Amino acid sequence: MDYVLKTNNLCKYYRHFKALNGLTMNVPKGAIYGFVGKNGAGKTTLIRLICGLQHPTSGDFELYGIKNTDKTISKSRRRMGAVVETPSIYLDMTAEENLKQQCRFLGTPSFDGVQDLLKLVGLENTGKKKAKNFSLGMKQRLGIAVALCGNPDFMILDEPINGLDPQGIIEIRELILKINREQQITVLISSHILDELSRLATHYGFIDSGKIIKEMSAQELEAACRKCVRMTVTDTKALARVLNSMNIEYQILDSTTADVYAKPNFTNLAIALSKEKCEVISIEEHDENLESFYVNLVGGANHE
């Protein structure tokens, strides 16, 4: 698998605070990578390092196979666009003027793609309206358009839907899907709004206390979060023997708890367990979502 970004044991310390503490992650080419973590977990710190706004204390990373210590890393960064924390726009300029200014900054010989970019982000009809009079969602879309000016292959978005109203969230979601699917741009999205992220991401990296505690694909997450019956019994070894005999899929969580991926005849199951001298303590339907998965994952992580 090709990776746009790979980090290796990346650390960033501020005096005695470990913002990143041995972070290793891999962003596949073509993915929408959901970078999941609570505020202060280290998401923005990583993004700032990748963008070259800060330098790591130790460890390294690669952009398109080029290490951050290589002199040619700046060429790899030219293939990247980013909206970090707040959109980088000129509030006293129109949307079109903002894009033309970015083209000048990048040394682009013409403004041929400006109108196409405005149309892509839904700002083609803003005319002479200045950015300071835009809604928050419009500003965010303009910030993304500015980041797209250099025709990047990789886009980094730091909390792109923070503070947006429902309509603004839908517009940003559709825009992210469009640039990923139609323009083949790999996207890294840092967010703590997990319900929305679950509508977008093809891959996930879960960060806590400055380190990745799990990486997985959307398919793997869906399998981990699928509906099941959670059973609490006095002996899961006995439960496993009975479920095996019934050819029922299950996962043992601990000595008393298991997830059963079917709805067996519980009368027959209880009788079979009784013969194994195993009692059923509780049965409940369990349907985990991304948010509860993350909470359970972080709750089970080792904190230093």
Side-chain angles (χ1 to χ4, degrees):
M1 183 180 289
D2 290 334
Y3 295 100
V4 171
L5 170 68
K6 297 178 71 174
T7 76
N8 177 41
N9 201 29
L10 207 57
C11 296
K12 179 63 178 178
Y13 302 156
Y14 300 98
R15 293 181 178 247
H16 302 296
F17 174 64
K18 297 178 180 179
L20 295 180
N21 189 22
L23 185 142
T24 298
M25 67 186 288
N26 303 278
V27 179
K29 183 179 179 181
I32 298 179
Y33 187 102
F35 195 27
V36 182
K38 60 188 176 184
N39 290 334
K43 302 190 301 296
T44 299
T45 299
L46 174 72
I47 290 170
R48 293 178 71 82
L49 295 186
I50 296 165
C51 293
L53 301 174
Q54 294 180 355
H55 299 287
T57 303
S58 62
D60 54 54
F61 64 87
E62 295 179 10
L63 271 175
Y64 294 98
I66 304 298
K67 281 196 173 184
N68 62 295
T69 52
D70 195 301
K71 291 180 180 178
T72 60
I73 188 64
S74 59
K75 291 183 180 179
S76 288
R77 285 202 174 103
R78 289 195 196 110
R79 300 176 64 180
M80 183 176 73
V83 180
V84 183
E85 297 179 293
T86 56
S88 298
I89 58 178
Y90 296 97
L91 296 177
D92 285 325
M93 290 185 179
T94 65
E96 183 176 346
E97 288 168 347
N98 264 279
L99 297 190
K100 288 182 176 179
Q101 183 64 23
Q102 181 67 5
C103 289
R104 292 188 191 97
F105 176 76
L106 295 172
T108 305
S110 74
F111 302 138
D112 290 347
V114 167
Q115 294 304 319
D116 290 337
L117 271 180
L118 289 172
K119 188 174 182 180
L120 175 67
V121 301
L123 296 175
E124 69 273 28
N125 296 319
T126 53
K128 296 183 178 180
K129 186 175 183 179
K130 293 186 177 181
K132 64 183 177 183
N133 298 317
F134 285 5
S135 68
L136 190 58
M138 291 170 69
K139 289 176 182 175
Q140 193 67 273
R141 283 184 280 133
L142 178 56
I144 292 173
V146 169
L148 287 168
C149 277
N151 294 316
D153 303 311
F154 182 32
M155 177 71 73
I156 297 177
L157 302 174
D158 186 17
E159 301 285 0
I161 60 172
N162 226 8
L164 298 187
D165 61 22
Q167 182 60 34
I169 290 172
I170 292 169
E171 290 168 352
I172 293 296
R173 181 205 309 158
E174 291 177 348
L175 176 57
I176 292 169
L177 289 171
K178 188 182 291 187
I179 64 175
N180 174 252
R181 293 171 180 174
E182 296 180 11
Q183 315 242 339
Q184 304 297 305
I185 296 174
T186 304
V187 184
L188 170 66
I189 306 176
S190 154
S191 183
H192 65 276
I193 304 175
L194 304 188
D195 178 61
E196 184 58 33
L197 197 58
S198 68
R199 302 168 190 261
L200 289 166
T202 62
H203 294 76
Y204 294 91
F206 297 93
I207 182 174
D208 188 51
S209 301
K211 62 177 67 175
I212 293 289
I213 52 177
K214 193 170 188 65
E215 281 189 310
M216 63 199 310
S217 68
Q219 290 83 359
E220 290 169 330
L221 178 65
E222 186 177 344
C225 294
R226 63 180 169 159
K227 289 184 178 181
C228 64
V229 176
R230 181 156 291 180
M231 295 186 65
T232 304
V233 297
T234 54
D235 182 5
T236 48
K237 289 183 179 179
L239 176 64
R241 288 194 295 270
V242 171
L243 292 174
N244 285 334
S245 70
M246 293 180 168
N247 199 29
I248 292 173
E249 188 181 352
Y250 63 90
Q251 181 182 8
I252 302 298
L253 302 180
D254 54 45
S255 61
T256 61
T257 312
D259 285 340
V260 181
Y261 297 103
K263 287 189 176 181
N265 183 310
F266 287 107
T267 300
N268 294 340
L269 181 58
I271 291 170
L273 288 173
S274 179
K275 291 177 181 178
E276 293 278 349
K277 297 182 180 179
C278 174
E279 295 180 16
V280 178
I281 298 170
S282 67
I283 298 173
E284 61 180 13
E285 287 196 356
H286 188 71
D287 183 13
E288 196 168 40
N289 58 22
L290 175 57
E291 188 170 340
S292 59
F293 180 85
Y294 173 69
V295 169
N296 289 332
L297 189 65
V298 172
N302 294 320
H303 295 270
E304 293 186 356

